[in-house]
Amino acid sequence: MKDEIKVLSQIDKTSYVNLCKSILDLEQNIFFVGIINNHGRLVDFVKKQNKMTQSLESMDLDMICMQARLYMSMQSDHDENLGRFGHCITEREKTTMLTIPTIYGTVLVISSNEIDSKELIQKIFQVTDNSCFAQILNPC
């Protein structure tokens, strides 16, 4: 039984990394992709080495993840009246942050402002729907 749990956790870890890499590879100007669990903790992430990602120290990253998850949770309070929460685009002076709920957790993407956010979100939905991780959660 312990061996089964160990193997499953390794598969999950690999799948999260693969999902993050698949999203990172969608656009040249994506700096960071992470998966946040329901508790606001970063499950896994990938990032490009540049000035922007170097400035994201672990404490800042933890706070960004908790804030993103809290915002999503607060938005879901209004799902019954306004409809289900779809995604959040936060545009800042230097970056754009996308927060997207998926069945794997919350996908957090940090990119340059040069990206078409709506188009990128559609690409991310395609990746998350077609990822190998979906096969692990919902085997055929």
Side-chain angles (χ1 to χ4, degrees), residues 56-124:
L56 284 176
E57 295 179 21
S58 63
M59 187 171 202
D60 289 340
L61 198 52
D62 288 343
M63 288 299 291
I64 289 170
C65 292
M66 282 189 244
Q67 289 170 349
R69 183 63 191 121
L70 179 60
Y71 179 79
M72 281 189 45
S73 178
M74 290 169 48
Q75 290 300 312
S76 67
D77 291 344
H78 306 290
D79 284 357
E80 188 175 318
N81 294 328
L82 301 175
R84 192 172 63 110
F85 176 78
H87 59 271
C88 176
I89 301 170
T90 305
E91 293 185 355
R92 297 180 170 270
E93 182 181 351
K94 297 178 183 178
T95 59
T96 296
M97 286 183 13
L98 306 176
T99 309
I100 307 164
T102 69
I103 61 171
Y104 321 111
T106 301
V107 175
L108 176 67
V109 177
I110 301 174
S111 69
S112 76
N113 289 337
E114 298 169 8
I115 289 180
D116 179 342
S117 301
K118 291 274 192 181
E119 184 179 313
L120 179 57
I121 288 168
Q122 292 307 312
K123 289 179 182 179
I124 291 169

Side-chain angles (χ1 to χ4, degrees), residues 129-140:
D129 286 343
N130 298 323
S131 73
C132 63
F133 192 61
Q135 295 171 7
I136 293 167
L137 287 180
N138 303 310
C140 301

Side-chain angles (χ1 to χ4, degrees), residues 21-28 30 120 123-125 127:
K21 284 180 182 177
S22 296
I23 295 170
L24 188 72
D25 291 341
L26 289 174
E27 294 282 343
Q28 174 181 326
I30 296 175
L120 179 57
K123 289 179 182 179
I124 291 169
F125 280 135
V127 167

